[in-house]
Amino acid sequence: MILFAIIAIVLFIVYVKWRHSYWTRLGIYQMQPEFFIGNARSVLTGKTSFAQTVYERYNSIKATGQQCGGIYLFLEPAVYFIDPKLIKTILQKDFQYFMSHGLYHHPKDILSMNLFNMEGDVWRNLRAKLTPTFTSGKMKMMFDTIIEKTNGLEAMVDKFASNQQPFAIKEALGRFTTDIIGSCAFGIECNSLEDPDNLFRAYGKKVFEPNLYRFWLFNLLPWWFLGNIGFKSNGRDVSEFFIKVVKETIKTRQENQIFRKDFMHLLLELKNMEINEKNPLTITDDEIAAQCFIFFLAGFETSSTNMTFALLELAQNPEIQEKLRDEINDVIERHGGKITYDAVMEMKYLDMVINETLRKFPPVTILPRICTKDYEIPGTKSTIKKGTRVHIPVWGLHRDPDYYPDPDVFDPERFNEENKLKRPDFTFLPFGEGPRMCIGLRFGMLQSRVGLISLIRNFSFSLNKKTSLPIRMSSGSVIISVKGEVWLDAKKIRDY
């Protein structure tokens, strides 16, 4: 019996070693794996942020001079592509090999069946249904709702400024974007700015709480098993809450013929279309629930995070803050003193500030893909096998001094037209690129623009000593976030 146990242990060790030599056997550089867990320790323990892990992997691979490198998540191989030309090929020209994100979804977990998670023809059909709801014309339709929510944000900051109290900008902006998305996605007034404990805010925050338990389950157990035992990727209480809200909203609007300028109305228009050969773009109640959910999460978290980092940098760079304020005032004056959609789109320096913020603090650290059929890496004899995880290291590209000299310096001029032309394509990927580029890009940018215009126009910001520097990224969070809070001091500079 002891002999059999020894043989089994030896065979297991040999098998693990063989699995962990996959990339070497393929002729691709690999980072040194730890026994069994591979290169996943930093993620599993939560001791290192995703951002730092991606940065270290990127630099390790780049130091070899190769265009890609391999890692292991337990025994599963994954590959990092770091060469911009190759990344462009993967995300655009050879997209058919890398159509999927490789993220958990199951029909019995309704909220998981959203556009971000879907694959293949199901994703393609859903994308075709939703694309018309994110045109610039549709954004104009929702513009007044976004502007309306700035009143509560200004009142909140005004209160702190009047009392000369520092305030936590990340929490304030999270409440602001929750109110916008609650109204634009669900047609519901959340009033998070007045009531920070409302259910929308509470459940939205809960989804983004670090959860290593879920990471283990997604990577160790088959998805069909998780779905069939009733597993809910966002938690049962979160799932039940959002599905109930969506279905009650659908019922109320249809019974009372309610019209609102929001995302829900656009989805209901799709739902009510007649199915025919020319226009098979109808959508089910479950699909509406899943899309409203992902729109809500992506909309409130990424935009609030982007504005938080922008204000963090503006508070430390008063000359940039003043230059931005001058542009905002000049453009608004040309538009009759009102913040209009056209005025917002005219603010070029504002876009440069936002893009530099996205460069330095991209919402996601990697773009995940799954190889959907065997792919020979251009210029090599190495073939990436179907089912292999592919990572595009956004955080590494954005902080590479070859593309962005002095990458820790906040410099919006990196994004003037002259400097943009100097950089290789696909070295700026805050929202992805190619057919799977973020569909809500326009809306997210519009939120960030309007929020910053409202604040910079009316207040001057400086960093409060309660903010810990240098800032650190929260570990275990998919969307990057500051560990702790960003505390600012505000001074009112304009009566409104």
Side-chain angles (χ1 to χ4, degrees):
M1 195 69 180
I2 294 177
L3 179 61
F4 283 126
I6 293 173
I7 292 173
I9 291 171
V10 171
L11 289 176
F12 176 70
I13 292 172
V14 170
Y15 174 71
V16 170
K17 293 288 187 181
W18 177 78
R19 289 279 294 185
H20 280 174
S21 66
Y22 176 81
W23 293 116
T24 300
R25 286 183 279 117
L26 206 59
I28 292 175
Y29 163 77
Q30 68 173 38
M31 295 185 66
Q32 184 62 38
E34 293 184 65
F35 183 78
F36 186 68
I37 64 173
N39 305 100
R41 176 181 291 277
S42 60
V43 177
L44 292 174
T45 60
K47 291 182 178 180
T48 306
S49 68
F50 281 124
Q52 184 62 27
T53 299
V54 171
Y55 184 67
E56 290 172 358
R57 290 173 179 173
Y58 177 89
N59 286 333
S60 175
I61 296 167
K62 185 162 185 178
T64 69
Q66 298 194 39
Q67 58 186 350
C68 62
I71 63 166
Y72 300 92
L73 304 172
F74 294 102
L75 302 182
E76 181 184 8
V79 62
Y80 269 62
F81 287 111
I82 69 166
D83 178 66
K85 291 181 180 178
L86 182 55
I87 291 171
K88 183 176 183 178
T89 299
I90 288 168
L91 296 182
Q92 279 192 342
K93 179 175 176 287
D94 292 336
F95 171 73
Q96 68 271 23
Y97 292 89
F98 304 96
M99 289 179 61
S100 302
H101 281 151
L103 301 174
Y104 170 82
H105 57 277
H106 192 280
K108 291 185 179 180
D109 184 1
I110 292 172
L111 298 187
S112 74
M113 301 294 283
N114 59 68
L115 183 66
F116 193 76
N117 292 357
M118 300 306 346
E119 301 177 342
D121 289 339
V122 177
W123 164 79
R124 187 182 288 107
N125 292 335
L126 189 56
R127 178 93 181 194
K129 294 176 185 180
L130 296 177
T131 296
T133 68
F134 288 97
T135 62
S136 57
K138 298 299 192 298
M139 295 305 101
K140 286 183 180 180
M141 188 182 83
M142 300 183 203
F143 183 74
D144 289 343
T145 300
I146 299 174
I147 288 292
E148 179 187 331
K149 300 304 175 188
T150 63
N151 295 329
L153 178 63
E154 290 169 4
M156 174 190 288
V157 176
D158 191 7
K159 182 178 179 181
F160 287 110
S162 298
N163 294 327
Q164 297 184 335
Q165 292 179 319
F167 66 102
I169 190 62
K170 183 171 72 172
E171 174 61 21
L173 291 171
R175 288 155 64 182
F176 168 62
T177 54
T178 295
D179 284 355
I180 291 175
I181 297 297
S183 184
C184 290
F186 298 91
I188 292 174
E189 298 304 318
C190 301
N191 296 318
S192 299
L193 286 165
E194 297 178 9
D195 176 19
D197 298 320
N198 76 82
L199 290 177
F200 266 87
R201 180 67 180 141
Y203 282 122
K205 289 171 68 176
K206 186 172 183 178
V207 174
F208 285 102
E209 290 175 355
N211 193 322
L212 295 175
Y213 161 74
R214 274 185 242 164
F215 177 85
W216 279 80
L217 289 179
F218 293 155
N219 283 279
L220 294 178
L221 296 177
W223 293 353
W224 62 263
F225 174 76
L226 290 173
N228 283 311
I229 64 172
F231 174 75
K232 305 300 179 188
S233 53
N234 295 289
R236 186 169 298 277
D237 55 343
V238 172
S239 182
E240 290 175 353
F241 171 75
F242 280 101
I243 292 170
K244 180 182 178 182
V245 167
V246 170
K247 294 193 172 179
E248 286 180 350
T249 302
I250 292 172
K251 182 180 178 181
T252 300
R253 292 201 183 190
Q254 290 182 327
E255 289 180 350
N256 298 286
Q257 296 185 330
I258 296 173
F259 169 81
R260 280 181 60 107
K261 295 179 179 180
D262 58 20
F263 184 60
M264 176 67 79
H265 175 73
L266 299 174
L267 293 180
L268 288 177
E269 283 186 324
L270 283 176
K271 179 177 184 288
N272 295 329
M273 284 181 178
E274 293 184 7
I275 301 177
N276 56 57
E277 292 181 1
K278 294 182 179 180
N279 194 13
L281 296 180
T282 57
I283 192 169
T284 67
D285 287 359
D286 284 351
E287 285 178 323
I288 290 176
Q291 306 333 307
C292 281
F293 175 71
I294 196 65
F295 182 47
F296 173 77
L297 292 187
F300 100 76
E301 183 67 11
T302 57
S303 294
S304 64
T305 298
N306 179 231
M307 287 187 283
T308 296
F309 284 122
L311 287 169
L312 169 68
E313 292 292 345
L314 292 171
Q316 297 176 89
N317 295 277
E319 70 288 351
I320 296 175
Q321 183 180 161
E322 192 59 36
K323 183 176 180 178
L324 175 59
R325 185 175 294 110
D326 288 343
E327 180 191 63
I328 290 171
N329 289 330
D330 288 346
V331 173
I332 291 176
E333 185 178 346
R334 290 201 301 270
H335 285 261
K338 294 182 179 180
I339 304 176
T340 65
Y341 182 86
D342 290 337
V344 172
M345 293 299 107
E346 199 176 303
M347 297 180 188
K348 302 303 179 187
Y349 192 69
L350 173 62
D351 280 355
M352 290 162 60
V353 168
I354 291 175
N355 282 335
E356 174 65 349
T357 304
L358 291 169
R359 192 278 306 174
K360 195 171 178 183
F361 305 102
V364 293
T365 57
I366 62 166
L367 301 179
R369 293 291 188 272
I370 288 285
C371 185
T372 53
K373 48 187 174 180
D374 290 0
Y375 179 75
E376 184 174 302
I377 302 174
T380 75
K381 295 182 179 179
S382 301
T383 298
I384 304 297
K385 295 296 183 182
K386 177 181 178 180
T388 301
R389 290 189 177 276
V390 173
H391 294 165
I392 309 298
V394 177
W395 191 271
L397 290 164
H398 284 198
R399 289 178 173 265
D400 190 326
D402 286 346
Y403 311 132
Y404 302 98
D406 297 318
D408 289 330
V409 173
F410 185 79
D411 181 12
E413 293 300 329
R414 299 183 200 271
F415 289 90
N416 64 37
E417 293 304 316
E418 181 183 354
N419 286 330
K420 284 194 293 185
L421 292 173
K422 294 178 182 178
R423 284 190 296 273
D425 292 341
F426 287 68
T427 54
F428 182 62
L429 300 169
F431 298 103
E433 270 292 353
R436 287 210 79 140
M437 189 174 187
C438 176
I439 195 173
L441 165 62
R442 281 193 180 96
F443 187 87
M445 289 291 285
L446 184 60
Q447 273 194 119
S448 295
R449 288 176 178 129
V450 170
L452 289 173
I453 289 169
S454 171
L455 293 175
I456 296 300
R457 186 189 186 198
N458 294 296
F459 305 95
S460 174
F461 296 95
S462 57
L463 201 63
N464 185 270
K465 61 183 180 181
K466 290 173 66 175
T467 303
S468 297
L469 293 177
I471 62 166
R472 297 174 60 194
M473 297 299 111
S474 177
S475 59
S477 178
V478 177
I479 303 294
I480 69 158
S481 179
V482 176
K483 186 173 184 179
E485 262 295 355
V486 173
W487 293 90
L488 298 181
D489 293 312
K491 181 180 178 182
K492 188 175 179 180
I493 57 176
R494 174 181 172 274
D495 291 324
Y496 49 88

